[in-house]
Amino acid sequence: MVARDGSTRDRSTRSGGQTARPSARRTGPLRRPSEPAPAVPADGLVVGDPPPTARLAGVLLVLAGVVGAAGLFPTYLVIGGTEVPQSAGAGSLLAGLVVPLTALAVGGGLAAGRVPRFGLAFASIGGALAVGLLLIELYRASTSTVRPGIEVIAGQRVLTSAVDVGPGWVLGAVALGLTVLAGVLTVTAWGRTVMEDAGSLDPARPALAGAAVLLGVGSVLCLVLPAADVPDRIVTDPTTGLQVVVEQEGPQGLLERPGLALLGGLLLAGAIVLCSVLAPSLRPRLAAVGALLAIAVVVLSAGLTGLRDAAVSDELEWTLPGVGLLLAGVGYVVLTVLAWRLRPSPAR
């Protein structure tokens, strides 16, 4: 009995030792250091796969940018037998490339599926603004001869008595049409696009909206009057020596033109104010950035065009509304940068 008990104790001891060794191997060498958790964006940005209509809107923006940039080089219009190009120098080319290059960059990102609501917001606001611009272009090429008037196109003061369409105008009109079509597609793609953040911009949205509305109203007031105008002439009477101020006919204002131009001017003015109210409220934060960027490039391009017209022509001078329009464009750029930068610092 003693031997049996001893052998039993030995077997139990050996079996206990055998069960202890595997447990030591499982708790020792098999333990691995914990891996660091994946980094989460500071503003909690969540991006889903965009729908095909969103990518198609991005492709249309890319095409609009390419076509719009190509339209700067050939003849824009032939007015009274005079060919009028849109890019007469480096300044003209810079003013004309602001909108196409921005549309090309944003559209490329949207077509690739990166931060889709940023591109969709840019396309929707840009499409709304392009409707009025397209109607103004249609007026210039078709019905501007019904009531001839003085116009300033690419720094040249011309009388619209006879107007022929050039390839530059055709490409520019196609680019505006593609922009409008991209804006229409965003209406169907917006609700099906997943992109949200933690609301880091929410505390600053009221201030951004107030500043954007002020800039929108100021931009419309500046657009009503020409950005570059013909200065008044002082004539001295040789017999009496009296000096008389003689007003010269200058370019027509945004709301002084009839027909399609008047409708386009009203739509453009209303779209600038309405989009300025809407843009800061879009979610997520990058959607507000895209919307403000779309307004900024249109207003800035208009301001640079007025400065270009006054710089390349000896008959024109830069007006106070032209200065205000350029400052409004810079102000929109500042708001866009603020909306982009107002976010919490990355968590350590």
Side-chain angles (χ1 to χ4, degrees):
M1 293 296 294
V2 176
R4 291 176 184 173
D5 293 340
S7 61
T8 304
R9 284 195 300 270
D10 291 342
R11 284 194 300 269
S12 63
T13 303
R14 285 193 298 270
S15 62
Q18 290 174 358
T19 56
R21 290 190 190 96
S23 63
R25 285 195 298 269
R26 284 194 300 268
T27 57
L30 292 180
R31 184 178 299 172
R32 297 179 181 178
S34 60
E35 298 180 356
V40 178
D43 52 358
L45 184 64
V46 177
V47 180
D49 189 23
T53 50
R55 296 181 183 270
L56 180 57
V59 173
L60 292 177
L61 278 182
V62 171
L63 292 176
V66 173
V67 174
L72 297 174
F73 299 97
T75 301
Y76 176 59
L77 292 172
V78 181
I79 303 177
T82 303
E83 294 185 357
V84 180
Q86 282 189 300
S87 57
S92 300
L93 189 61
L94 176 63
L97 284 176
V98 171
V99 175
L101 290 184
T102 307
L104 182 62
V106 176
L110 179 58
R114 295 191 295 267
V115 285
R117 282 202 171 180
F118 168 78
L120 289 176
F122 179 90
S124 60
I125 300 299
L129 298 176
V131 173
L133 296 174
L134 180 59
L135 292 178
I136 294 174
E137 289 297 323
L138 292 175
Y139 164 79
R140 281 182 177 177
S142 59
T143 59
S144 61
T145 57
V146 175
R147 187 186 298 178
I150 298 296
E151 290 284 354
V152 175
I153 301 176
Q156 298 187 34
R157 184 166 168 257
V158 294
L159 176 64
T160 59
S161 57
V163 177
D164 294 324
V165 173
W169 181 90
V170 174
L171 293 175
V174 170
L176 290 174
L178 290 173
T179 304
V180 174
L181 184 56
V184 172
L185 286 179
T186 59
V187 177
T188 60
W190 183 269
R192 295 185 294 155
T193 302
V194 178
M195 182 175 171
E196 192 54 79
D197 60 9
S200 60
L201 188 63
D202 291 349
R205 288 183 189 273
L208 287 176
V213 170
L214 290 178
L215 288 176
V217 173
S219 301
V220 171
L221 293 177
C222 294
L223 281 171
V224 170
L225 298 175
D229 203 351
V230 180
D232 296 334
R233 223 167 23 97
I234 299 178
V235 179
T236 304
D237 190 346
T239 58
T240 61
L242 295 177
Q243 291 184 338
V244 181
V245 177
V246 179
E247 294 184 359
Q248 301 185 84
E249 186 179 1
Q252 297 175 338
L254 182 65
L255 304 181
E256 295 177 354
R257 304 161 182 163
L260 288 175
L262 178 59
L263 179 60
L266 291 174
L267 289 177
L268 178 61
I272 289 177
V273 176
L274 181 61
C275 293
S276 298
V277 176
L278 179 63
S281 64
L282 294 179
R283 295 186 61 91
R285 173 181 58 87
L286 290 178
V289 174
L292 289 171
L293 179 62
I295 308 174
V297 294
V298 172
V299 177
L300 184 62
S301 177
L304 290 175
T305 300
L307 176 60
R308 181 273 316 271
D309 292 343
V312 301
S313 176
D314 297 332
E315 299 179 348
L316 302 172
E317 65 178 9
W318 202 22
T319 62
L320 184 60
V323 177
L325 191 60
L326 182 61
L327 292 178
V330 175
Y332 274 115
V333 172
V334 172
L335 286 185
T336 304
V337 174
L338 287 177
W340 174 51
R341 297 298 298 174
L342 288 176
R343 63 183 188 272
S345 57
R348 295 181 180 179

